[in-house]
Amino acid sequence: MPIARSRAGARTTGVRVLVTRSLLRPLSALALLCTLAAAPVPSPAAAGDGAAPSARAGNASGPSVVPPVPEWTPPLSTRGRYVVDAEGDRFKLKSGNWHGASGTWTGSGSPDDPANNHAGEKSDRMPLGLDRAPLSEIVAGFRELGLNSVRLPFSNEMVHDTRPVADASVAANPSLKGMTPLQVYDAAVKALTDAGFAVILNNHTNTTRWCCGVDGNERWNSSQSAETWESDWLVMVRRYRDNPRVVGADLYNEVRRSVLDDPNWGLGDRHDWFAASQRLGDRILQEANPDLLVIVEGINWTGIPVDGFPHERPTLEPVQRLSHTLVRSGKLVYSAHFYDYTGPNHSGATGLGETSDPRYRDFGRSELYDVLRRQAFYVAAQTDRHFTAPVWISEFGVGGRQETGAKQRAWFDHFVDFLVDADADFAYWPLVGWHEDRKGNGWALLHWDSAGRRAGLFDGDDWRAEPWRRLVEAPGRTGRVAPVDRWSMLSPDHGDFVQSLRMRALPDWDPGARKAACPDDQRLVGLSHTGNRGLCSDAGARGLGASAGAHEIVRDERHVEPGRDWASGYTKLQCPPRYFLAGYSVRGAAVSAALCVEAGGVPGTAGRTVWFDRSDNRPPAAGGGDFAHGHHKGQCAGDEYAAGIAYTGRLGSSRSPVALLCRALR
């Protein structure tokens, strides 16, 4: 279950209980949203008693000269499990979260009272710390930490907020006086990108309220319509389109259960996070900015956190059976969050709402590694699958000076070791916090007091400094990453799944049918017998399609050559010579039409029939993985292209595909 972040800008162990109507009949409606008491946060030790906090310009033990962000060339894209820059060089996302613009108000009392803001840190709907330190100093601190990118949360409410920020809220940045929160956000983006950082926009919440319980921010459409969510994203993407160092759109944070409803991955209803993120990702790339990375986080919580009731943190596990295929290849990144006090089936609650399931900190190193691989990292670890993509751990964190728990410290060490071993992309939560006399918000890596004095990670009294250095300085893949074969799933489960920009720009090619089409740089190589799934790839033939090639919709056997009946007794939808299959349409389970696209070269004509009506028929070690779990599948070899689909209209048949005509590429 989603939890409310704690003092350090990380999270409390208290959560809002999610329960069903039947459990709460005697309770009032207000009780539905009852918040559990948070476990006490240990008082920070007076670490460095008598020692003067570091000066505004830096700290005694940090580098005397803040290093620049390493050079890189935008835009970013992906090759297999790696993010790469425009030169094809690895760009490992070494990131942190600069929170505040998504809100810090806890939901009760006046938002202007610091006591009613998370950990007393009142951000006023802006990136935190602008009342205490100049933008330039904050950004220099991020460079000192060894980062190259920043996740910058915002709320939909902030996007529409026209109230000028209070002068006191930008006291350390007088040039920001009189601006709206969005204009201040603009200034933060500019300061970061001018310094060489990559910026990932993150839609953290609907409202400017602290995340993440039953707070109206559970889903992208909890406190607003899905249409508003999409429209706001298009506004934000277009706003920064001319800044090439704004590189990504992190679509929504910690999708989770509301009081009565769970999110899902693929059911096709208004709670379907897979469908919502797929649709918005395509719209961003097609209508607003074709260069952005589209970042999709897994589902953070489903079910009721009570022993005996189903409940879990699905994270990225559903991706192996249903993955995204965007209209532009090489733009998808998956993300996940991990904190010590949550678990694969533990909400993070303490007291009421706490289950007997283990938290991540309860696992030993080996067991923790197994859980992390199962929940998220398999996506990047397995190559040549329909789901293979970079995995960005866009939130993780732990308490600093005041954290004395052995389990918490061990978890952080183990987790950092795992990130190092996996050469994983990451973003720490949070970067900026407040302190007074080196006490207060202990999770941030950089803290400023009310006089503008900084307490930094490298001041000598923060135990996280050593694992942090180990993380940011770890050796990993660098340099050029060679292009890889792409494998993409087509899933017209509940409607059209047309991933071809060319076909999207044309009139409906089979009205009333559900249509599926590969991205324009790929071809169809596999189909399932039932379930309507397809598999696309560019393996062995990148750029197979003609640059201005024609297409044909085939509904009959007009192109079956005399004497070449490759599926006798079956209806065959065959492409004309020099054309290849790039899509199909269905009505129910029945094949309706085949989409054929002209090839740029002269593909081969020798072919074979691949039957898959009674069992899987795929090449040994076939790429793409299981693109239709639980269904029979047929697939052409890596040096072949699909040129035809066969089905039967016999009595009792559903007219679903039974065979493919596979032809040699050359």
Side-chain angles (χ1 to χ4, degrees), residues 240-322:
Y240 304 111
R241 179 169 179 160
D242 293 334
N243 187 337
R245 293 189 184 273
V246 176
V247 299
D250 185 350
L251 301 185
Y252 202 72
N253 184 72
E254 296 193 5
V255 173
R256 56 198 183 274
R257 181 183 173 91
S258 60
V259 172
L260 297 175
D261 297 303
D262 280 326
N264 66 78
W265 193 273
L267 295 185
D269 59 19
R270 64 182 301 270
H271 299 158
D272 185 347
W273 174 230
F274 169 81
S277 54
Q278 173 73 49
R279 173 181 164 82
L280 176 57
D282 284 342
R283 289 197 69 189
I284 286 172
L285 294 173
Q286 185 176 359
E287 301 175 34
N289 188 344
D291 290 332
L292 284 192
L293 295 175
V294 171
I295 299 164
V296 181
E297 189 180 331
I299 292 177
N300 196 57
W301 186 263
T302 63
I304 302 170
V306 176
D307 285 339
F309 287 82
H311 53 267
E312 64 173 329
R313 189 179 306 280
T315 319
L316 293 176
E317 292 185 64
V319 173
Q320 60 190 309
R321 296 189 179 181
L322 181 59

Side-chain angles (χ1 to χ4, degrees), residues 430-489:
L431 291 176
V432 176
W434 289 5
H435 80 97
E436 292 300 330
D437 296 326
R438 307 179 75 77
K439 301 175 184 178
N441 175 344
W443 284 59
L445 300 181
L446 302 169
H447 305 84
W448 279 266
D449 70 9
S450 55
R453 292 169 296 199
R454 200 191 78 177
L457 177 68
F458 299 128
D459 285 353
D461 58 350
D462 194 324
W463 67 274
R464 298 170 300 174
E466 187 280 325
W468 181 259
R469 283 194 177 97
R470 195 164 76 245
L471 177 60
V472 295
E473 296 173 5
R477 175 69 178 269
T478 60
R480 181 169 172 77
V481 177
V484 298
D485 294 337
R486 303 190 190 279
W487 302 89
S488 303
M489 172 188 284

Side-chain angles (χ1 to χ4, degrees), residues 11 17 186 302 435 462 534 575 589:
R11 314 184 172 206
V17 185
D186 292 341
T302 63
H435 80 97
D462 194 324
C575 295

